Amino acid sequence: MTGALADLPPLRESLEAHGLLARKSFGQHFLLDLNITRKIVRLGTLPEGATVIEVGPGPGGLTRALLEAGLKVIAVEKDARFLPLLGELAEASEGRLTVVEADATRVDEAKLAGGAHHIVSNLPYNVGTPLLIGWLTAAEPPLSMTLMFQKEVAERIVADVGDDAYGRLAVVAQAVCSARIVMDLPARAFTPPPKVASAVVRLEPLPVRPEPALLKALERVTAAAFGQRRKMLRSSLKALGGGALCEAAGIDPDARAETIDVAGFLELARALRA
Ligand code: SAM
């Protein structure tokens, strides 16, 4: 660890020194154990010197671990109360940390990073899924994403066809990325503890990516099919062409959404575009 970073007080002391308490409305559940944040960074397998966008640094536990690993960090935090504490971390990082006060749902990460970037975050749960969808479908998607979600959301991202958790999120995520759970964390690992367990998902773009128009069509098809997941596709996809669309895609119109794999949904999306 570099000198100035090693000299920082423990995270709990930093929070106390700045009189900071977690706010529920901002989805604040902090990781104050650096052994855990260092492990998350290791699981991210990020090349030294790479640029990482971190959403919601809060007291900076994950940020410290990213900086220790030699990464360049751009941290986007909505809660201005954390800026003085993060300023101390920026000072200790010798120019490798930039803190931006902003709402991450309104930020274009690729623009902020000025090009190729990775995303690492212990996400605020209330905006985790919309943020992920935005990154998956972005014109310049991240090189990798290492993201903490509620366990139930993590399971929906990595689910296989036939799993109870299989749905729209799995199809859209796995059409563009490989996705796996790399770490489970119990609620007690956080301060304050949330009501549910959490898990870290690592996502990496597939070598071949569907073009933006196909992704848009995929979003429409999956929204309709899983919007009425117990119905046959000929009926749930009625507004998009129903049985004729299925036949054009080579998919059984009597099948239900939960039995169609990602490749099948991509065929439906291609047929919709055609
Ligand atoms: N990274 C810290 C950690 O692991 O201890 C904090 C994680 S906490 C689960 C989520 C963080 O995201 C909080 O710092 C919260 O203020 C911030 N946050 C919530 N909504 C946000 C938004 N829309 N844009 C940016 N940051 C947000």
Side-chain angles (χ1 to χ4, degrees):
M1 201 194 306
T2 49
L5 284 173
D7 294 340
L8 288 167
L11 286 157
R12 216 173 273 280
E13 271 179 34
S14 291
L15 276 174
E16 274 164 22
H18 287 268
L20 289 166
L21 291 174
R23 269 194 193 149
K24 225 178 172 179
S25 58
F26 283 87
Q28 291 174 346
H29 300 283
F30 304 131
L31 287 170
L32 302 181
D33 181 346
L34 285 173
N35 293 314
I36 295 179
T37 59
R38 286 176 186 138
K39 185 168 176 197
I40 295 171
V41 173
R42 276 200 304 279
L43 290 166
T45 60
L46 302 151
E48 200 174 330
T51 298
V52 173
I53 303 253
E54 185 196 356
V55 168
L62 195 50
T63 327
R64 282 194 198 190
L66 289 164
L67 293 167
E68 284 174 18
L71 297 152
K72 236 184 95 188
V73 182
I74 303 170
V76 181
E77 176 56 64
K78 187 174 165 184
D79 187 346
R81 297 179 308 146
F82 286 92
L83 299 186
L85 185 159
L86 291 166
E88 290 168 10
L89 190 50
E91 223 164 89
S93 77
E94 291 150 349
R96 283 186 296 116
L97 171 63
T98 308
V99 181
V100 178
E101 183 193 350
D103 179 340
T105 61
R106 295 168 185 272
V107 162
D108 178 336
E109 283 74 18
K111 255 195 205 145
L112 199 59
H117 62 285
H118 301 257
I119 298 184
V120 178
S121 175
N122 172 13
L123 284 167
Y125 291 148
N126 46 346
V127 288
T129 311
L131 283 173
L132 174 65
I133 296 277
W135 297 330
L136 290 168
T137 55
E140 278 183 81
L143 297 173
S144 76
M145 293 179 260
T146 307
L147 307 172
M148 176 89 68
F149 291 97
Q150 288 155 275
K151 181 96 195 285
E152 173 263 330
V153 176
E155 282 169 349
R156 285 204 279 126
I157 296 167
V158 306
D160 280 329
V161 63
D163 292 350
D164 285 347
Y166 184 68
R168 205 177 158 198
L169 197 53
V171 176
V172 175
Q174 295 171 35
V176 293
C177 281
S178 64
R180 62 196 176 93
I181 292 181
V182 291
M183 185 183 190
D184 285 307
L185 270 177
R188 65 172 185 279
F190 300 84
T191 306
K195 288 204 176 75
V196 291
S198 296
V200 177
V201 182
R202 176 123 200 313
L203 299 115
E204 210 171 295
L206 296 173
V208 181
R209 185 181 170 80
E211 68 272 29
L214 185 59
L215 268 183
K216 280 245 165 327
L218 184 68
E219 286 188 73
R220 286 182 68 198
V221 168
T222 50
F226 287 106
Q228 303 180 70
R229 62 188 292 146
R230 301 284 165 220
K231 287 200 173 163
M232 290 178 194
L233 292 171
R234 70 165 75 250
S235 145
S236 59
L237 296 181
K238 200 167 184 177
L240 303 179
L245 180 81
C246 293
E247 269 148 35
I251 300 287
D252 176 4
D254 292 341
R256 291 180 172 77
E258 61 214 19
T259 67
I260 307 299
D261 63 10
V262 176
F265 273 109
L266 280 168
E267 285 309 322
L268 284 164
R270 275 189 200 100
L272 181 64
R273 280 196 66 207

